[in-house]
Amino acid sequence: MLIDVNAYIGHWPFRQLRITTAEGLVCEMDRQGIDRAVAANLHGVFYKNVQPANEELAEAARPFGDRLIPFATLNPAYPGWEEDLRRCEGLGLRGLRLYPQYHGYQLAGEAALALVDAAARLGWAVQAPMRLVDRRGRHPMDLGEDLSPANYEAAIGARPNVHWMILAAAGLDGRRLPPEANYAVEISRLTAVLRRDIQRLLEGVGPRRVVWGTGMPLNMAAPALLRLQALDVEAEVKERIAWRNAAEMLGLVDLLA
C-alpha cells in the first residue's frame, strides 16, 4: 500500500508538465504502484480568485473517488474565503493546502490561523508545502520563496491540535516543533542513503510523524520510491511511512483495513 500525500493536477505556468489531468495522474499512479494520492490543483496557486481551481479539481477528481483525495486551495488574504470553504465542503473536497509564499500572507498570521481553525472544524488536515519547485531552476517570474522551518514552528505552535502536514520539508526535526503537536513531515526532499536525512528525522520526531509523497507532476515519482525502498528501517516503520500514518491522519484506516 502506498499513499502519496503530495500530488497535483493542472498546469504550471513556467514549464510544461507531462501530467496535467486527474486521469493522467491516476495512470501514473498505476504505473508506479501508488494506491491513493492527495491532490490539489496547481491553478489555485496563481488564480487571483482561487475558488474556480477548487471547482475544476472537484469535477476532475470525481470519477476517481477511490484513488484521489482532493484538497482545496484557499487564500485567507482574499475576501470571501469563508463562503469558498463552505462551497468546497459541498463539492466533496476533503482537506486544505496552503501557499503563503505565493498568496502573500504569513502561515502563522491571524488570517491564516482563522482559515486553519475553520478547516479543522470540518475535520480536515492542513497541508503547507515548504516549496513547490527547486529555486535553483526557478523561472525569474516565479517569486515564491521557500518557507522556513520557523514558519512551521510558529504556526504549529499556535495550533498544535490541527492535523498538519508539512510537504517537501527539509531542515525540520523534533527539537524545532512542539512535542505535543499533531503533525506529519513528508520526505520527498530528504535522503535515505547519503546524508540519511530520513533516519535522522525518524530519530527526532518518531515513526508516527513521517509520511511519504512525490510532488508529482512537478517531480518524478521514481526518486521518492527509491528513497522508500532504500530506507534501512524495520518493516513496520516503513509501512507507517508508506501509508499508515497518512491514512490515520486522513481518516482512511477503517476504509483501507
Side-chain angles (χ1 to χ4, degrees), residues 51-82:
Q51 183 57 22
N54 296 320
E55 294 168 3
E56 293 170 2
L57 174 65
E59 182 177 0
R62 194 168 293 118
F64 307 102
D66 61 335
R67 306 296 303 283
L68 299 182
I69 305 163
F71 266 39
T73 298
L74 292 171
N75 180 358
Y78 191 82
W81 66 258
E82 296 91 344

Side-chain angles (χ1 to χ4, degrees), residues 15-35:
R15 64 180 169 92
Q16 186 181 49
L17 298 178
R18 186 170 60 86
I19 300 166
T20 59
T21 66
E23 181 179 9
L25 178 60
V26 171
C27 286
E28 184 65 10
M29 290 164 59
D30 288 340
R31 199 169 75 86
Q32 301 292 349
I34 299 169
D35 296 276

Side-chain angles (χ1 to χ4, degrees), residues 5-8 97 127-131 152 165-170 184-189 211:
V5 302
N6 183 12
Y8 299 89
R97 194 172 287 180
Q127 298 183 329
M130 184 172 282
R131 76 178 188 193
Y152 296 98
M165 286 190 180
I166 308 169
L167 306 184
V185 181
E186 184 265 304
I187 58 173
S188 60
R189 287 178 61 194
V211 291

